[in-house]
Amino acid sequence: MAHYISRASLQNPLRLSNLTHTRWTITLARPAAVPQYRKMSSAANPNYEYIITSRPEPNVLLIQLNRPKALNALCSPLFKELNQALKDADRDDSVGAMVLTGSEKAFAAGADIKEMKDKQFADVYKNRFLGDWADMTKIGKPIIAAVSGYALGGGCELALMCDIILASPTAKFGQPEINLGVIPGGGGSQRLAQLIGKSRAMEVVLTGRMFTAQEADKWGMISRVVGEGEGQVVKDAIAMAKEISEKSQIAVQAAKEVVNEAYETTLTEGLKYERRIFHGLFATNDQKEGMAAFAEKRKANFTHS
């Protein structure tokens, strides 16, 4: 769950400082567009309203959140489209990895408060409100978050559910739900505690303050901060996704699975699990091809089988 900063809030520095207890100087401009890439064919690209899908590389799917007037606030219909696009890509053998991004100004500035403000306990509890947000964590293929601008509340939680986070120098993260009289509901408190430690997670969740890409990098929450330049974070994420897509899809999925297992079990059990998956890969054609190619000093031709 999350909080998003409205355009009105951005125009009023005092309102913004009330949310974060920190004064941020912000210059409004028209949202910068992510570099244009080839859109997917109509057969594979439903008429999405809240996301844009494209293929910047043959084996890479780029998903761009598309609610610019609301700073990509996360509403239920958006998440429904996002989950569908990710599931379709996970079943598509031509896709090796996915990149998720927003705009230069906002990756996603939070959940849509207008959608939530009048809900009652019985409604959100009985209907498992936000329960489908975690569906993307069940995707087998890697998802890379390319974060620029605001990633607050649900936007921060969305990035944390991705497998790799690349951030532009302008990225600002945070969990400001406390300012709305609630707490994170999309996994922010749990994932932050695992990634940056209890004390820092407490500070972020209890104060609601924003933190920079540089802080997130220092704390180990993200993979790295990319270089300066409009759209650079998306370019770097696509390049990384392309590199991953050239590997064996079976090995990549297995690698993602064992790394995630480290967060769910003890070290002893995790080591056993890793070894079992490692042994299992010897039943694949890609293992035979990969090792034969190495011995023969040539590039492997993986068949993902």
Side-chain angles (χ1 to χ4, degrees):
M1 194 192 64
H3 175 89
Y4 89 88
I5 296 180
S6 67
R7 182 172 290 273
S9 297
L10 289 175
Q11 290 172 330
N12 188 338
L14 293 178
R15 287 187 65 186
L16 184 62
S17 63
N18 287 340
L19 291 177
T20 64
H21 307 291
T22 304
R23 186 180 295 270
W24 295 81
T25 302
I26 298 171
T27 302
L28 279 176
R30 294 173 66 96
V34 169
Q36 296 299 305
Y37 298 103
R38 177 173 58 87
K39 290 186 178 181
M40 297 169 64
S41 66
S42 57
N45 183 27
N47 294 319
Y48 292 130
E49 181 179 356
Y50 299 108
I51 64 173
I52 299 171
T53 59
S54 59
R55 288 286 188 94
E57 296 288 345
N59 296 325
V60 175
L61 176 68
L62 174 65
I63 302 176
Q64 181 185 2
L65 305 183
N66 188 37
R67 294 190 73 196
K69 292 182 179 179
L71 297 177
N72 293 326
L74 303 172
C75 58
S76 295
L78 183 152
F79 245 97
K80 183 176 180 180
E81 292 185 1
L82 176 60
N83 284 331
Q84 186 60 55
L86 291 171
K87 289 175 184 176
D88 289 345
D90 208 30
R91 292 189 291 262
D92 187 342
D93 289 340
S94 70
V95 176
M98 292 154 269
V99 173
L100 177 61
T101 193
S103 66
E104 284 291 316
K105 182 168 288 296
F107 174 72
D112 195 333
I113 304 305
K114 292 180 181 179
E115 180 184 18
M116 294 190 293
K117 66 183 183 66
D118 295 324
K119 288 185 178 294
Q120 298 294 324
F121 169 77
D123 175 21
V124 296
Y125 183 73
K126 185 170 65 174
N127 295 304
R128 298 182 64 252
F129 183 55
L130 304 188
D132 61 343
W133 280 32
D135 287 358
M136 63 182 292
T137 63
K138 302 172 186 176
I139 298 297
K141 295 173 183 176
I143 305 171
I144 303 170
V147 180
S148 183
Y150 297 105
L152 303 178
C156 184
E157 290 169 320
L158 177 61
L160 291 173
M161 286 189 285
C162 295
D163 301 300
I164 299 170
I165 304 175
L166 300 183
S168 76
T170 67
K172 295 180 178 66
F173 300 90
Q175 300 289 163
E177 292 89 348
I178 199 73
N179 298 308
L180 300 177
V182 291
I183 64 171
S189 64
Q190 304 305 295
R191 291 188 174 94
L192 280 176
Q194 286 189 337
L195 292 171
I196 66 176
K198 177 184 175 182
S199 182
R200 288 194 182 109
M202 282 289 190
E203 177 190 353
V204 168
V205 172
L206 296 182
T207 66
R209 82 169 180 89
M210 288 192 284
F211 55 97
T212 65
Q214 292 73 24
E215 287 178 291
D217 186 26
K218 179 181 177 182
W219 297 345
M221 192 188 98
I222 67 175
S223 181
R224 68 171 182 268
V225 180
V226 305
E228 301 276 354
E230 183 175 312
Q232 188 60 48
V233 68
V234 176
K235 294 175 184 176
D236 283 13
I238 290 170
M240 179 182 290
K242 180 184 178 183
E243 181 179 1
I244 292 171
S245 297
E246 293 171 351
K247 318 297 184 185
S248 161
Q249 287 186 12
I250 297 176
V252 167
Q253 183 170 330
K256 171 176 172 173
E257 187 176 328
V258 296
V259 171
N260 282 333
E261 187 68 16
Y263 285 91
E264 305 295 337
T265 189
T266 64
L267 176 60
T268 299
E269 290 302 313
L271 291 171
K272 291 179 182 178
Y273 185 77
E274 178 192 67
R275 195 171 303 114
R276 284 196 296 270
I277 298 299
F278 169 72
H279 290 162
L281 290 173
F282 281 77
T284 66
N285 292 325
D286 284 348
Q287 176 267 329
K288 300 296 184 291
E289 168 62 15
M291 293 191 175
F294 179 82
E296 296 165 12
K297 296 181 173 56
R298 60 175 175 82
K299 184 177 180 179
N301 180 27
F302 294 119
T303 58
H304 315 302
S305 62

